[in-house]
Structures are given as structure tokens and as C-alpha cells.
């Protein structure tokens, strides 16, 4: 695993757009219109840029998998972060989903501890490369990085079939939220 650069943005956005187009949590925020894939891409661009500002973006050694990590306590309002949010509204979630996005984030963040965390916002592998150990290696590297930084990993998933995969890495569901779909909150420690 290596830290991604701005030159990796297109590749990472492609990986995440392909990996998350059927994800309930992503589609909760994205209008189901004829621009859905473009809107998902806009969400992934926003997430990439936000993590570059307030976290880290990682790429697997073979460049088929990636992870976006945020450090919530570092997030602050800047001209760039405001621009990214405006762009996300205009090209991604739309005006109709602003309150939905804000309320969802507020409910999730209530479950974070007061101390710094390693928030795994997205982890994805190109669909054609899945089930070949890329995600497993990436997750192992992320766990080592979070341990090196002395920050517990926190994440969410709406994909029930992924729960046993996270469990293999010592991550457990510690809460569940209902947004019309089940969102499982997962962590590896306090």
C-alpha cells in the first residue's frame, strides 16, 4: 500500500464508482435519476479531495484497490472545503438530499469517541480484481497503519455480506442505525 497522489485521483474515483454503484448507503444520498453514475462519481471525487485535505488516501501496490481515510478532528471549514461541498450538492447529491446527508452524518458521528480515530470512509477494489486478496492486503495494511498511529478504526457498511469479512480482521459491529436500510457501525477498539 502506498499513499496516493493527486495523479491517482481518476483511477481511485473509477475504482470507487464501480465498486459502490449498488451500495445502499451511497444510493441513499444519490438521486435515482439518469445521472446516477455521474452523481456517484461526484461523491467519490468529493470524498477523495476531502480525505486528501483532512486524512489520507491509499492505493494498493497493484493499483486495483484503494482506501479513503479521514481524521474527523482535523476537518475544518476552509474555502476549499466549502467549494467541495457546494460542488457535491450541485453535481452529486442535489439540493433535495442536503438535509438527508446532514442528518445521516450527524447520527453517525454521535457514535464516535472523543479521542482521535482512523475513519475508513471507503475501501474498494476494482470489481474485476475482487476475491484475489487485494482487499485483504489493503485492510491488513490499514490496520497496521491505524495501530502505528495509535488510532482505532471506525467505519460503516450497509452491505450485510461484508460483515464476516470485517470480523476476520477483528472488527465488530458496535451499533446499527436505520435509514430505511440498515447501516452497521464497525470498529476495532475504543
Amino acid at each position: 500500500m502506498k499513499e496516493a497522489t493527486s495523479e491517482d485521483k481518476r483511477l481511485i474515483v473509477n475504482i470507487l464508482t464501480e465498486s459502490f454503484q449498488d451500495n445502499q448507503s451511497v444510493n441513499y444520498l444519490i438521486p435515482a435519476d439518469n445521472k446516477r453514475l455521474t452523481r456517484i462519481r461526484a461523491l467519490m471525487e468529493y470524498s477523495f479531495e476531502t480525505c486528501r485535505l483532512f486524512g489520507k488516501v491509499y492505493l494498493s501496490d497493484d493499483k486495483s484497490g484503494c482506501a479513503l481515510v479521514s481524521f474527523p478532528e482535523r476537518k475544518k471549514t476552509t474555502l476549499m472545503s466549502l467549494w467541495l461541498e457546494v460542488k457535491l450538492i450541485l453535481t452529486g447529491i442535489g439540493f433535495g438530499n442536503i438535509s438527508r446527508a446532514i442528518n445521516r452524518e450527524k447520527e453517525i458521528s454521535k457514535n464516535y469517541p472523543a479521542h482521535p480515530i482512523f475513519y475508513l470512509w471507503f475501501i474498494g477494489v476494482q470489481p474485476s480484481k475482487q476475491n484475489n486478496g487485494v482487499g485483504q492486503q489493503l485492510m491488513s495494511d490499514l490496520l497496521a497503519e491505524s495501530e502505528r498511529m495509535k488510532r482505532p478504526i471506525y467505519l460503516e457498511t450497509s452491505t450485510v455480506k461484508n460483515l464476516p469479512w470485517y470480523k476476520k480482521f477483528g472488527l465488530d459491529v458496535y451499533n446499527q442505525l436505520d435509514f430505511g436500510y440498515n447501516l452497521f457501525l464497525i470498529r476495532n477498539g475504543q
Side-chain angles (χ1 to χ4, degrees):
M1 174 177 88
K2 68 171 188 144
E3 198 164 336
T5 67
S6 56
E7 289 79 38
D8 299 312
K9 179 180 177 177
R10 186 167 186 252
L11 173 62
I12 289 169
V13 168
N14 286 342
I15 291 169
L16 294 174
T17 299
E18 288 177 33
S19 298
F20 284 87
Q21 60 182 298
D22 296 322
N23 181 277
Q24 292 181 78
S25 189
V26 166
N27 285 307
Y28 176 77
L29 298 175
I30 300 297
D33 60 16
N34 62 348
K35 298 180 192 171
R36 195 175 70 79
L37 284 179
T38 302
R39 291 177 181 280
I40 293 171
R41 176 172 294 286
L43 173 63
M44 297 311 171
E45 288 175 357
Y46 166 80
S47 304
F48 176 92
E49 294 296 347
T50 299
C51 288
R52 293 254 308 143
L53 287 172
F54 307 115
K56 295 197 179 262
V57 179
Y58 297 103
L59 193 56
S60 65
D61 292 331
D62 73 347
K63 297 186 175 189
S64 67
C66 61
L68 303 184
V69 176
S70 173
F71 305 126
E73 83 285 355
R74 292 185 187 171
K75 191 167 184 188
K76 58 186 176 198
T77 302
T78 65
L79 283 175
M80 178 57 90
S81 69
L82 286 172
W83 167 243
L84 291 172
E85 289 177 4
V86 167
K87 195 171 153 187
L88 175 64
I89 292 165
L90 294 174
T91 61
I93 65 172
F95 288 101
N97 283 343
I98 294 172
S99 62
R100 178 181 265 204
I102 290 169
N103 291 336
R104 181 181 172 279
E105 291 310 307
K106 195 184 304 182
E107 285 303 309
I108 292 168
S109 63
K110 283 181 190 176
N111 293 276
Y112 296 161
H115 56 81
I117 64 171
F118 192 94
Y119 176 66
L120 181 54
W121 195 349
F122 287 105
I123 181 171
V125 175
Q126 287 175 347
S128 65
K129 303 279 185 164
Q130 290 177 358
N131 301 311
N132 291 316
V134 175
Q136 188 166 337
Q137 183 61 55
L138 199 52
M139 193 67 198
S140 295
D141 292 347
L142 291 166
L143 283 163
E145 182 67 5
S146 75
E147 194 166 305
R148 185 190 67 73
M149 295 179 77
K150 297 183 177 13
R151 289 172 175 255
I153 289 184
Y154 279 70
L155 64 107
E156 299 90 40
T157 188
S158 59
T159 308
V160 175
K161 71 178 185 177
N162 289 350
L163 294 174
W165 188 79
Y166 288 117
K167 183 92 172 141
K168 282 193 321 189
F169 293 98
L171 303 169
D172 294 306
V173 173
Y174 69 95
N175 200 357
Q176 185 175 326
L177 301 175
D178 182 358
F179 294 107
Y181 68 93
N182 291 320
L183 187 67
F184 301 95
L185 282 63
I186 298 170
R187 66 181 176 200
N188 72 332
Q190 299 280 4

